[in-house]
Amino acid sequence: MKILRLSYVNLKRMSKNKGNLVLMFIMPLVIILGIHFTTSNTDHNLSIDAAFNIEDKGEYGEEVLKSIGFEGDIFYNDNGALKLLEENKIVALYTIPSDFTEKIKSGEKPQIKTYKKEEGNVTTSLEIKLNDEINNKIKEEILLKHNIIKDKGELYKFKGRTLIQDEDTSSISGDSYMAILMIIYFIILSSTGIGEEIIKLKKQNILFRAMTTANKGYEIMGSLFLSTLFLLVGSNLLVLILTKIIMGYSIKSFFVVFLNIVLASMFSITLTIFLIRISEDLTFVSMTTAIYSVASFFLSMIAASSDFYSDVPNAIINLGKFMPQYWLMDSIENSSLFPNVLVLGLMILTLFTAGSYRFKDFVNKG
């Protein structure tokens, strides 16, 4: 096929660009390993510099913290816990509300107030475990309420009998979550290479000459898309495998992770193509991509952990659900493909269509 032949030519040219290879492979690898080794002491036992203030009138407030193995400071109805945060002795303070147990027993998800001086991913593993444990407690209560089980002991006996069979479907680990999250972040950030290629090909009149042949606009754009996709997916799969070997984390479902890396790469490439059609200024494209990467990262994290951001307006939380990272990490965390793949596919198709529209006019312009 013509598009594959063009893709191969583009791939050979792009693989010679050392700057792209550094951004796509070396930088993600170094930063992921750096974060892992600097936080490894705290990630093992959840002794992260965080504290909990329990105002719960029931038993689940304490029970949940024991279940996740939290070993930090715990206060009871103590507003003075905020002093630790103000004195920079902790990075986050979580307040378990008075109706925590009551809401869980009624099948509702309680809101945990979070106080942080600055946002970051240091507490991500703690919040994931806490969120999972709260969900488990709610499931227990729902099963009891509908007489599916007579007591909680039945549920844990069942879990014990199926532990070996279900080992691969256990919750995603903190190290695995952090590594995959950072890989996706760098995928969104590193696709500016295709922007450089398009602008360079246009300035050298290579695109113009290609358009005067039998090559169609979508074939030229498709070949650039495929060659960049191969580089992004290949380099980030290598990062994933190396970090897995070095850090020793397990991957919940390799197929789901692989598919989401492909989808993240496709979104990143089509986003850059779309930005190039808006402006041919490479500085604008690079800056916009960088700003979007950071903003969408934090918005998606807020949307995914909305229980910990009770003071954030609903408009911001809902905006985070329009970010690709939200759907990518939800798919990976829950090993689910629907509706995530459909939503991401529509995002990618929209950007690619907008970027390829009237491509001939773009080539002939200026």
Side-chain angles (χ1 to χ4, degrees):
M1 289 178 65
K2 190 186 298 182
I3 194 168
L4 293 178
R5 188 173 66 254
L6 289 171
S7 298
Y8 177 70
V9 172
N10 287 324
L11 181 62
K12 285 201 301 182
R13 182 176 60 253
M14 293 172 70
S15 62
K16 295 176 183 177
N17 189 326
K18 294 180 180 178
N20 283 343
L21 297 178
V22 168
L23 192 58
M24 291 179 184
F25 174 68
I26 296 175
M27 191 179 293
L29 183 64
V30 169
I31 290 180
I32 291 169
L33 293 178
I35 292 173
H36 168 70
F37 288 120
T38 54
T39 61
S40 57
N41 291 331
T42 58
D43 283 341
H44 275 299
N45 54 19
L46 288 180
S47 58
I48 296 168
D49 293 332
F52 280 86
N53 180 33
I54 300 177
E55 297 178 351
D56 185 25
K57 294 178 180 177
E59 71 277 9
Y60 279 163
E62 284 186 329
E63 204 172 296
V64 164
L65 295 185
K66 286 179 182 176
S67 298
I68 65 173
F70 179 73
E71 297 182 1
D73 293 311
I74 298 176
F75 297 84
Y76 297 86
N77 299 305
D78 185 2
N79 293 327
L82 277 171
K83 289 183 180 179
L84 291 179
L85 189 65
E86 292 168 359
E87 294 170 359
N88 293 318
K89 292 181 179 178
I90 56 174
V91 296
L93 172 65
Y94 301 94
T95 296
I96 296 178
S98 58
D99 60 353
F100 185 79
T101 299
E102 181 185 341
K103 282 202 168 183
I104 288 177
K105 286 186 175 180
S106 64
E108 297 179 49
K109 195 160 188 177
Q111 291 280 345
I112 295 178
K113 290 184 179 179
T114 308
Y115 304 92
K116 296 181 181 180
K117 281 207 164 182
E118 59 183 36
E119 296 301 333
N121 59 5
V122 177
T123 57
T124 299
S125 59
L126 170 63
E127 291 172 3
I128 291 169
K129 288 182 180 291
L130 184 61
N131 190 59
D132 287 344
E133 187 59 29
I134 292 171
N135 288 337
N136 288 336
K137 292 293 182 189
I138 294 171
K139 287 175 188 176
E140 289 173 6
E141 294 297 338
I142 291 173
L143 292 173
L144 285 168
K145 186 177 179 180
H146 291 85
N147 296 318
I148 297 173
I149 57 174
K150 293 180 180 178
D151 58 66
K152 295 177 185 177
E154 289 184 27
L155 185 62
Y156 292 107
K157 283 178 186 176
F158 175 76
K159 283 184 179 178
R161 290 195 300 269
T162 59
L163 181 62
I164 296 175
Q165 293 179 356
D166 293 340
E167 186 176 4
D168 291 336
T169 60
S170 58
S171 299
I172 186 170
S173 68
D175 278 342
S176 176
Y177 186 91
M178 182 276 292
I180 297 170
L181 185 66
M182 293 307 296
I183 285 172
I184 289 173
Y185 170 76
F186 276 104
I187 286 174
I188 304 292
L189 185 64
S190 64
S191 70
T192 51
I194 191 172
E196 292 180 8
E197 284 296 316
I198 293 173
I199 291 174
K200 185 169 68 175
L201 292 174
K202 182 183 177 183
K203 287 182 177 178
Q204 294 174 349
N205 288 324
I206 295 174
L207 286 179
F208 177 78
R209 289 197 297 272
M211 290 295 292
T212 58
T213 63
N215 299 314
K216 295 181 172 57
Y218 73 86
E219 290 175 334
I220 297 168
M221 293 302 294
S223 65
L224 287 168
F225 179 93
L226 287 176
S227 55
T228 309
L229 179 65
F230 182 84
L231 277 178
L232 271 176
V233 173
S235 60
N236 282 286
L237 277 180
L238 190 56
V239 171
L240 180 69
I241 293 167
L242 287 175
T243 54
K244 181 183 182 300
I245 293 170
I246 296 169
M247 295 163 61
Y249 61 78
S250 60
I251 297 175
K252 193 173 178 182
S253 171
F254 183 81
F255 173 75
V256 172
V257 173
F258 169 75
L259 183 59
N260 278 281
I261 286 176
V262 173
L263 289 169
S265 301
M266 291 172 70
F267 177 87
S268 181
I269 295 165
T270 52
L271 173 65
T272 306
I273 291 173
F274 173 71
L275 291 174
I276 284 290
R277 296 301 305 273
I278 294 174
S279 173
E280 296 177 37
D281 184 351
L282 192 57
T283 303
F284 165 81
V285 175
S286 300
M287 287 292 293
T288 304
T289 305
I291 292 169
Y292 177 82
S293 300
V294 175
S296 60
F297 174 84
F298 284 113
L299 285 170
S300 62
M301 290 296 291
I302 290 171
S305 307
S306 56
D307 295 329
F308 300 98
Y309 298 97
S310 55
D311 295 331
V312 176
N314 285 333
I316 300 296
I317 293 172
N318 291 331
L319 182 61
K321 294 178 181 179
F322 285 90
M323 301 298 114
Q325 293 97 321
Y326 174 82
W327 297 97
L328 290 164
M329 293 310 299
D330 179 77
S331 174
I332 291 167
E333 188 177 349
N334 298 304
S335 292
S336 61
L337 296 178
F338 185 83
N340 306 63
V341 172
L342 178 62
V343 173
L344 289 162
L346 289 172
M347 290 180 181
I348 292 163
L349 182 61
T350 301
L351 288 172
F352 185 76
T353 303
S356 301
Y357 179 68
R358 299 185 66 137
F359 184 69
K360 196 170 203 176
D361 293 345
F362 167 74
V363 172
N364 294 329
K365 186 178 70 173

